[in-house]
Amino acid sequence: MIYLKTEEEINLIKESAQVLGKAHAEVAQWVKPGITTKKLDTIAEDYIRSFGGIPSFKGFNNFPASLCMSVNEVVVHGIPGNYELKDGDIVSIDCGVKLNGFHSDSAYTYPVGEVSKEVMDLLTATKKSLYKGIEQAVDGLRVGDIGFAVQHYCEERGYTVVRELVGHGVGKELHEAPEVPNYGKRGKGLRLKEGMVLAIEPMINLGTKSVMQEKDGWTIRTTDRKYSAHFEHTVVVRKGKAEILTTFDYIEQVTANTSLMVEVK
């Protein structure tokens, strides 16, 4: 069942999304060599709860943390722990906030210290592909248009698109219908309607598109162990132009003029 959101509900999701954006920025200030992923998770949870929010991921299907912390070849669902970030790593930080009964969901991938141009180009392309997908989240278009836009942009540049993991609806539940793949055909799939709230989240690999799940039941990594990047926004389908509900503005205020910044022109 797909739930179209009212304007009142969309405004409540926006409030959740503001807290989420600020939580991301709070964490971003601490992303540096030597910090543990568990410490970043604690920072995020404390910040979210200080605003009266609830970390959406903690306890979701028994996930043990507030953040998905996915380092290097880990695509998504990495569990925070004692791993210390080091120079040359990348880390995808995926976070959700529940506030006023509604969830918001977004992700951002950071370069840690100095990374190679090849890796930085992957991050830039993945972030750009997110906005290419969002451009298609318009009333009257189709889910396949979103996926095609992401896939075409990334594959044209030599990257691969993960097939097993997809975006999704967001609202009173963290994961709602419909699924939003990052690949597809123009004009195919479910017709988009104003009021649909979607998490669009390209997961793009430097090497093969093939992935596998680790024994912990959560961590998904590339089979060739090459790097993977992940960016995500929660958006609402509108007539003419999609509206982005989450924000990277707070992240980019604290990462401006630093090596953490992922610029898209």
Side-chain angles (χ1 to χ4, degrees):
M1 178 76 71
I2 296 173
Y3 297 98
L4 301 181
K5 276 57 175 189
T6 65
E7 290 303 316
E8 181 181 1
E9 290 171 331
I10 290 166
N11 285 331
L12 291 173
I13 296 171
K14 282 183 186 176
E15 291 179 19
S16 169
Q18 286 294 304
V19 173
L20 174 56
K22 291 174 181 178
H24 267 294
E26 184 71 13
V27 172
Q29 297 179 74
W30 293 88
V31 174
K32 56 188 174 182
I35 196 163
T36 66
T37 54
K38 186 175 182 179
K39 175 64 175 177
L40 294 176
D41 184 72
T42 299
I43 291 167
E45 180 170 2
D46 289 348
Y47 191 86
I48 292 165
R49 294 192 186 280
S50 75
F51 280 84
I54 298 170
S56 297
F57 297 174
K58 193 163 190 178
F60 180 74
N61 291 336
N62 295 316
F63 188 75
S66 299
L67 299 178
C68 291
M69 300 283 296
S70 303
V71 179
N72 297 340
E73 74 273 14
V74 177
V75 182
V76 287
H77 302 163
I79 299 172
N82 294 323
Y83 179 82
E84 294 184 1
L85 296 178
K86 63 180 186 295
D87 190 68
D89 283 345
I90 62 173
V91 56
S92 168
I93 300 180
D94 192 358
C95 186
V97 168
K98 184 178 183 181
L99 185 71
N100 301 321
F102 285 87
H103 295 271
S104 56
D105 191 1
S106 71
Y108 199 98
T109 302
Y110 300 91
V112 181
E114 296 298 323
V115 302
S116 69
K117 182 180 184 301
E118 179 184 47
V119 171
M120 199 67 202
D121 286 347
L122 169 68
L123 269 58
T124 300
T126 304
K127 186 179 179 185
K128 181 69 173 180
S129 77
L130 168 62
Y131 292 103
K132 291 290 185 181
I134 290 170
E135 287 174 1
Q136 303 302 310
V138 175
D139 182 271
L141 296 184
R142 295 186 179 270
V143 167
D145 293 312
I146 297 173
F148 176 84
V150 173
Q151 180 182 10
H152 178 73
Y153 185 84
C154 292
E155 290 184 350
E156 194 175 49
R157 286 155 179 78
Y159 306 117
T160 61
V161 178
V162 175
R163 300 300 204 270
E164 292 85 350
L165 302 154
V166 297
H168 51 88
V170 185
K172 289 185 177 179
E173 302 297 330
L174 177 59
H175 285 183
E176 297 182 353
E179 291 189 343
V180 185
N182 296 302
Y183 60 94
K185 295 182 178 180
R186 286 176 174 157
K188 300 295 183 181
L190 181 77
R191 183 181 179 277
L192 301 171
K193 295 181 180 180
E194 186 166 23
M196 286 182 178
V197 176
L198 309 174
I200 299 176
E201 50 178 322
M203 291 158 272
I204 308 300
N205 297 346
L206 192 57
T208 179
K209 67 177 181 292
S210 177
V211 299
M212 64 170 289
Q213 187 174 62
E214 299 285 12
K215 292 180 181 179
D216 61 20
W218 282 104
T219 306
I220 304 290
R221 68 166 176 83
T222 59
T223 56
D224 62 5
R225 294 190 179 274
K226 291 187 177 180
Y227 283 14
S228 181
H230 178 208
F231 286 85
E232 176 184 19
H233 270 312
T234 298
V235 308
V236 58
V237 174
R238 297 290 196 187
K239 293 179 181 178
K241 184 179 180 180
E243 181 183 358
I244 302 173
L245 301 180
T246 46
T247 178
F248 293 156
D249 288 352
Y250 300 115
I251 292 172
E252 291 169 355
Q253 286 170 14
V254 303
T255 61
N257 302 316
T258 75
S259 62
L260 291 171
M261 183 71 173
V262 180
E263 292 190 83
V264 170
K265 296 180 181 179

